[in-house]
Amino acid sequence: MNALNITKGTSSKSAYNLRSGHADLNERHTLAVLVANEPGVLARVIGLFSGRGYNIESLTVAEVDHQGHTSRITIVTSGTPQIIEQIKAQLGRIIPVYDVHDLTVEGPSVERELSLFKVSGKGEKRVEALRLADVFRANVVDSTLDSFTFEVVGSPEKIDAFAELVRPLGLSEMARTGVAALSRG
Amino acid sequence: MSGSKMVVQALIDQGVDTVFGYPGGAVLPIYDEIFQQNSIKHFLVRHEQGAVHAAEAYARSTGKPGVVLVTSGPGATNAVTGLTDALMDSIPVVVLTGQVPTFMIGSDAFQEADTVGITRPCTKHNWLVKDTDALAHTLHSAFHVASSGRPGPVLVDIPKDVQFANGTYEGPAKMKSHYQPKLKGDLEAITALVAAMEVAQKPIFYTGGGVINSGPIASQLLRELVAATNFPITSTLMGLGSYPGNGDNWLGMLGMHGLYEANMAMHDCDLMINIGARFDDRITGRLDAFSPGSTKAHIDIDASSINKVIHVDIPILGDVAHVLEDILKVWKARGRKTNSKALKTWWGEIDDWRKIRCLDYATDSKVIKPQYALERLEALTKDHDRYITTEVGQHQMWAAQYMTFNDPNRWMTSGGLGTMGYGVPASIGAQVAHPGSLVINVAGEASWLMNMQEMGTAMQYGLPVKQFILNNERLGMVRQWQELLHGERYSQSWSESLPDFVKLAEAFGAKGILCSDPADLDEAIMEMLAYDGPVIFDCLVEKHENCFPMIPSGKAHNEMLLGDAAIKGAIDASGSVLV
Ligand SMILES: Cc1ncc(C[n+]2csc(CCOP(=O)(O)OP(=O)(O)O)c2C)c(N)n1
Ligand SMILES: [Mg+2]
C-alpha cells in the first residue's frame, strides 16, 4: 500500500497508522518560509518544530527585503509525507508567516551552502589538502605556516564529501551556514 | 494620548464593555484610566486564572472576545493555564499584561517575566509593545487575530513606560493585517461532498466546536441541512447545542464517554461528514480501527487540522457557515437527492442501537446517583433561560450525557485541556454576560476547590451563580481509571478533609444547601433556583459510580464498555500507556 494512494474504504484512514507503518518513507524537504521580520518570529518557528517533535536538519534566516521587513527562513526537514504536510500547515498558521514554499515539490530548485574548514598539517598532507581544495573549487581564505582555512560553497552533499576527504588530512574545525535555496527560473 | 489611555480607548472602539482583571504595579496606569471612565466595567477576580476562564465563558456564551487585564510576572504566569485552555478549545480571548519598563527588560527586575516567551506556545499570537505609537495598532490587531479564522487567545504585553508615554492613537479602521483566513470553501470539493451525500447509504454528521465558533448562522444552517437530508448527527463535547439535543436526528455525544448509538454509527457509517471537529483522541479511540469503511469529509477553517491524524478523502477548507450555505445551495440545485431507501435501513440499525439504552443506570432509593441528580436538575431547569458550565471529571461527562442542550453558546466546558478549576470562574463569566439568566456550574468537589476563591467575585458583583457540586468525596474520574487500569489501587484519589460546603457558602455570604436523600432532591433544587443569589449546593452522591458508556483507551468505537460488569481486563498493556 502506498501512503499517498490509499484505496477508499479498504484501509483504516489513520494518518498515524501511515506514519508508523512506513517509517522508511521519510523524505527530505527544503522549505522556504517568508516571514515578517519582527522580534520572536524565529522563536515561533523553532518552537513549533521542537514543540511538535519535527526534525530540523538545517535552518538559515536573514532579512531579504529591508523595506518590506521580510525575512526568509530556509528549513531543511525530514518526515513522512503526512508529517511534511503537517509542518507546512502548522507553519502557515503562524501569524507573521506570509508564505510557505516547499521547494522540493514546487519544481526544480537550487540549493547552496557555505562552509569553512580549518585544516592543520604539514608536509605532504598540507599539499594534498590544497590539491583537494582545488578539485572542489574551494577558496583559501586564511593561511598560516601550519594551517589553511578553506571556503567551500555548494550543495550540502558536496560539502559533506569535502569534509570526508579532508578529515584524515588534519581537519580541526568546520562551520556550515545551512542551506539557502531558491526555485529555478 | 498616553499609552494607558489608548488601551481604554482601543477597548471601547472594539466594542468591549467588560474586562476581567487583577491589578498590580505594572498595570497601574491602565487601572488609573479605568477608574476615570464609565464605558467599561471591570470585574475584579480573585486569581488571574479565574479572569481568563471567566473571559472564556463570556466569549463562548456571547460570541464576542473576552478581555483580561493582569499585571506582569505572577499576574501573567497565573494566566497561562487559562491561555492554554482557550488555545485548545479555540476561544477568542484578549489578554493584556503589564510589563516592567522597556529599559529594565532583561535585568531580572521585580516582577519581570519573559511573558511573550512563556506564552508563545499557548497563544495564537502575542506581542510585546515597545513603542507607544505602535500600541493602538497592536491592540486592534490583537482583536482581529483572536476572532478571525480559528479563534484563539492572544496576549499583548505592555511595558509600564509605554503606558505612561504619549503617542498617536489610531482607530480600528486603520488596522491592516495580512492575516485574512479564507472563509469560502472550494466549490469543487463541496460538489464532491454533495455527490457523496446523494448516494450515501450510511451517512453521519460529526460536528464540533467549530460550528459554534462560526456563529449562530452556522447552527441554523446545520439544522436546515440535517432536516433536509434526514442524516443522523452526533457531536463532540465542544459542539453540544449546535444541533438541538431534543432534535429528531440527534444521536447524542460521541467519543470516549459518548452514547452507544453515536459511536456505533461512527464506526459503521459509509460517509462521515466532519463539520468543525478535529478527530481528537477522545473521539477516535483506536486510530487504526476508526470508522474503517467510510469516506471522510472534513470541513475546517484550520488547514493544519485536516489530515493531522485521520486521512480524509474530501477536505474542505473554510468557515463552517460559509461552507454549509454552499453545500445547501449545491445540494438543492442538484435536485435535493438522498438515498432515502438506504437511509431508512440505516435508521433502523440506529434504532436497534438505541434500544440498548446505554444511559440506563441502576437506580437507588437511598443514595443519590449522580446521573439521577443531573436528570432532576435537567427536568427542573430545562425551561429556564439557562447556561451550564462544568468542572472536569465524571460529573462533566454525566452533565454532557444527561443534560440537553438545544441551542449553541449555552454549554461552557473545558474540553481540550480538561482543566479542573474551569467551572467556577466560567460560571461567573457567563453570568456577567447574561445577568438575568440561570447559570449553573455542574461541579465535582475536587475541581470546585481549585478556583473556589472566585465565590468572592460572585458575591462582590451580586452574580447569582449556582454551584451544583456532585460530591462523591473522590477524584472520581481518577478513581475510575485506577479501578480499570491499576488493580483498584486508589492512590491519592480520595478527597480528604473536605470543607463543610454549607458553612463555606455562609462564610462567603452565599447560601449553602446540603442534600443527601433522593427524596429531598427536587425540593432542594427548587430551593436553589428560588434563591436570588449565589448558592453552593452540596449534593452528596454515590461514591463509587463509574461513568459509562466508555471506550477504554486503545479500543475501537465498537468495543465500548456499557457497565461495571464489563470492566475486568478491559484495558490491555498497549492501552494503558494512553491518557
Ligand atoms: C488541573 C487538573 N489537575 C488534574 C487533572 C486530572 N483529573 C481529571 S478528572 C480528576 C478528578 C476530578 O475530581 P472531581 O472534580 O471531584 O470530579 P469527579 O470525577 O469526582 O466527578 C482529576 C484529578 C485535571 N484534569 N486537571
Ligand atoms: Mg468528585
Side-chain angles (χ1 to χ4, degrees):
Chain A
M1 188 184 71
N2 182 320
L4 286 173
N5 181 22
I6 317 155
T7 342
K8 227 173 260 173
T10 58
S11 73
S12 79
K13 301 291 177 59
S14 153
Y16 273 147
N17 199 36
L18 296 172
R19 275 182 211 175
S20 50
H22 297 265
D24 52 321
L25 280 183
N26 267 359
E27 294 174 356
R28 192 165 162 277
H29 284 239
T30 304
L31 309 178
V33 188
L34 292 171
V35 301
N37 184 12
E38 60 178 45
V41 65
L42 186 59
R44 285 178 210 284
V45 170
I46 291 173
L48 168 67
F49 276 75
S50 64
R52 293 187 184 263
Y54 305 141
N55 296 324
I56 299 180
E57 291 186 8
S58 90
L59 185 145
T60 63
V61 55
E63 188 175 68
V64 290
D65 176 0
H66 186 66
Q67 240 139 35
H69 299 286
T70 308
S71 292
R72 184 178 175 109
I73 304 178
T74 308
I75 305 170
V76 180
T77 183
S78 62
T80 61
Q82 282 75 21
I83 296 280
I84 301 285
E85 286 309 310
Q86 250 311 288
I87 291 173
K88 289 189 270 183
Q90 292 289 354
L91 283 168
R93 288 173 87 192
I94 298 176
I95 305 294
V97 166
Y98 294 142
D99 222 341
V100 181
H101 290 287
D102 185 342
L103 298 177
T104 305
V105 298
E106 287 176 15
S109 61
V110 283
E111 291 192 0
R112 288 292 179 271
E113 185 174 1
L114 185 145
S115 58
L116 298 175
F117 292 85
K118 189 180 284 172
V119 181
S120 314
K122 293 203 157 147
E124 190 46 39
K125 284 192 173 170
R126 192 171 157 83
V127 178
E128 179 59 21
L130 263 186
R131 225 178 274 140
L132 268 178
D134 195 36
V135 174
F136 276 80
R137 274 181 254 156
N139 292 323
V140 178
V141 289
D142 184 41
S143 57
T144 67
L145 285 176
D146 50 13
S147 75
F148 284 120
T149 302
F150 299 113
E151 171 204 78
V152 184
V153 177
S155 69
E157 293 76 21
K158 172 176 167 180
I159 291 165
D160 288 344
F162 186 73
E164 269 323 294
L165 292 170
V166 292
R167 201 173 306 275
L169 302 179
L171 175 61
S172 61
E173 259 187 278
M174 78 185 269
R176 300 173 68 149
T177 58
V179 168
L182 288 178
S183 60
R184 276 179 199 263
Chain B
M1 193 189 286
S2 73
S4 50
K5 213 180 192 77
M6 278 187 199
V7 171
V8 171
Q9 190 58 50
L11 293 181
I12 294 172
D13 288 351
Q14 287 291 337
V16 173
D17 54 17
T18 304
V19 172
F20 301 92
Y22 208 90
V27 279
L28 285 180
I30 301 173
Y31 271 90
D32 200 29
E33 289 301 330
I34 286 181
F35 189 86
Q36 300 177 54
Q37 56 80 50
N38 287 314
S39 313
I40 294 169
K41 183 149 191 214
H42 178 278
F43 289 83
L44 178 70
V45 293
R46 300 302 187 260
H47 186 293
E48 289 86 352
Q49 182 189 355
V52 186
H53 293 323
E56 284 185 87
Y58 180 93
R60 193 83 179 147
S61 68
T62 60
K64 296 196 292 183
V67 181
V68 172
L69 174 59
V70 296
T71 193
S72 66
T77 56
N78 273 351
V80 164
T81 301
L83 288 168
T84 311
D85 192 89
L87 186 72
M88 291 290 267
D89 285 345
S90 310
I91 311 291
V93 175
V94 178
V95 175
L96 311 178
T97 49
Q99 182 55 281
V100 302
T102 48
F103 53 84
M104 290 179 83
I105 288 178
S107 69
D108 297 325
F110 178 63
Q111 296 195 327
E112 179 183 0
D114 176 8
T115 301
V116 287
I118 291 169
T119 61
R120 201 173 283 128
C122 62
T123 51
K124 185 174 171 186
H125 194 60
N126 63 14
W127 295 261
L128 168 64
V129 183
K130 288 188 169 161
D131 172 6
T132 307
D133 278 330
L135 182 56
H137 190 272
T138 307
L139 290 167
H140 297 312
S141 305
F143 278 87
H144 171 70
V145 169
S147 40
S148 323
R150 178 175 177 178
V154 298
L155 181 145
V156 184
D157 199 23
I158 313 171
K160 199 167 179 183
D161 56 334
V162 172
Q163 299 171 32
F164 272 125
N166 283 309
T168 322
Y169 179 81
E170 59 178 58
K174 286 247 179 83
M175 198 277 304
K176 282 194 298 281
S177 174
H178 76 96
Y179 179 69
Q180 304 291 349
K182 188 166 126 326
L183 299 175
K184 293 278 271 183
D186 173 44
L187 259 187
E188 218 170 285
I190 288 173
T191 309
L193 171 57
V194 170
M197 287 166 60
E198 289 168 350
V199 294
Q201 300 183 329
K202 301 175 171 193
I204 187 167
F205 289 117
Y206 148 45
T207 60
V211 183
I212 292 172
N213 278 337
S214 179
I217 301 163
S219 293
Q220 212 176 300
L221 290 164
L222 177 70
R223 289 157 193 230
E224 196 185 324
L225 185 64
V226 172
T229 57
N230 192 31
F231 290 179
I233 175 168
T234 179
S235 160
T236 66
L237 183 73
M238 295 309 295
L240 295 179
S242 54
Y243 182 81
N246 62 5
D248 291 338
N249 295 44
W250 178 238
L251 301 188
M253 179 176 79
L254 82 160
M256 183 172 269
H257 292 292
L259 269 66
Y260 184 74
E261 46 269 43
N263 285 332
M264 289 302 285
M266 284 288 279
H267 186 269
D268 282 10
C269 68
D270 71 347
L271 175 63
M272 179 185 295
I273 305 162
N274 173 342
I275 309 178
R278 59 183 176 91
F279 295 110
D280 176 83
D281 56 71
R282 299 294 94 162
I283 297 307
T284 58
R286 202 176 106 204
L287 280 167
D288 60 3
F290 176 66
S291 194
S294 60
T295 298
K296 296 175 182 72
H298 186 180
I299 302 165
D300 206 301
I301 196 152
D302 176 2
S304 76
S305 279
I306 296 176
N307 283 329
K308 182 168 65 179
V309 285
I310 297 291
H311 176 84
V312 296
D313 307 288
I314 309 174
I316 301 174
L317 187 63
D319 165 60
V320 167
H322 285 78
V323 173
L324 286 181
E325 193 180 359
D326 283 343
I327 290 176
L328 272 161
K329 258 191 220 152
V330 173
W331 182 73
K332 286 176 184 166
R334 287 169 57 109
R336 301 168 182 262
K337 285 179 290 216
T338 58
N339 189 345
S340 50
K341 209 166 136 232
L343 274 180
K344 209 163 160 228
T345 318
W346 180 224
W347 275 111
E349 278 184 66
I350 290 170
D351 284 338
D352 284 343
W353 291 323
R354 281 173 163 166
K355 286 188 195 126
I356 299 273
R357 301 186 57 84
C358 67
L359 291 184
D360 280 0
Y361 58 94
T363 51
D364 196 311
S365 60
K366 299 231 169 48
V367 184
I368 300 177
K369 286 293 189 104
Q371 302 95 323
Y372 178 73
L374 290 173
E375 278 178 349
R376 294 318 301 156
L377 184 67
E378 167 69 15
L380 296 171
T381 62
K382 67 171 196 253
D383 296 328
H384 285 69
D385 170 18
R386 182 186 80 178
Y387 294 83
I388 302 290
T389 70
T390 76
E391 302 287 347
V392 169
Q394 292 179 317
H395 62 276
Q396 176 191 28
M397 294 298 110
W398 283 317
Q401 293 170 338
Y402 292 91
M403 301 192 81
T404 305
F405 302 95
N406 293 328
D407 291 297
N409 307 98
R410 298 273 175 170
W411 163 248
M412 269 66 57
T413 195
S414 171
L417 195 63
T419 311
M420 292 170 70
Y422 171 86
V424 178
S427 67
I428 285 166
Q431 190 80 75
V432 164
H434 309 278
S437 307
L438 171 63
V439 178
I440 305 172
N441 176 31
V442 176
E445 81 295 337
S447 300
W448 193 84
L449 290 171
M450 282 205 178
N451 271 323
M452 65 163 214
Q453 75 285 348
E454 299 305 330
M455 284 305 291
T457 311
M459 293 310 301
Q460 179 176 346
Y461 299 99
L463 303 168
V465 289
K466 313 300 183 208
Q467 305 298 323
F468 192 74
I469 302 175
L470 294 176
N471 184 351
N472 53 8
E473 298 174 16
R474 300 288 181 278
L475 313 185
M477 191 57 97
V478 172
R479 195 206 62 77
Q480 177 168 347
W481 280 56
Q482 288 171 334
E483 183 178 345
L484 263 64
L485 272 170
H486 295 280
E488 302 180 50
R489 291 179 295 281
Y490 298 120
S491 180
Q492 307 296 319
S493 55
W494 252 257
S495 289
E496 303 268 12
S497 305
L498 285 169
D500 177 330
F501 285 101
V502 173
K503 281 198 191 141
L504 186 63
E506 284 159 5
F508 275 111
K511 181 179 179 61
I513 299 174
L514 175 75
C515 185
S516 58
D517 187 338
D520 301 337
L521 185 59
D522 276 26
E523 207 179 313
I525 291 175
M526 294 308 285
E527 190 188 348
M528 172 181 88
L529 298 177
Y531 185 71
D532 184 19
V535 176
I536 300 176
F537 190 116
D538 185 10
C539 188
L540 297 181
V541 297
E542 163 64 46
K543 300 183 201 315
H544 302 118
E545 194 72 13
N546 283 329
C547 183
F548 293 111
M550 177 178 187
I551 303 178
S553 308
K555 297 282 181 183
H557 275 178
N558 58 353
E559 298 175 288
M560 243 166 300
L561 303 180
L562 290 172
D564 277 315
I567 65 179
K568 287 271 173 290
I571 301 181
D572 55 25
S574 63
S576 64
V577 303
L578 302 171
V579 189

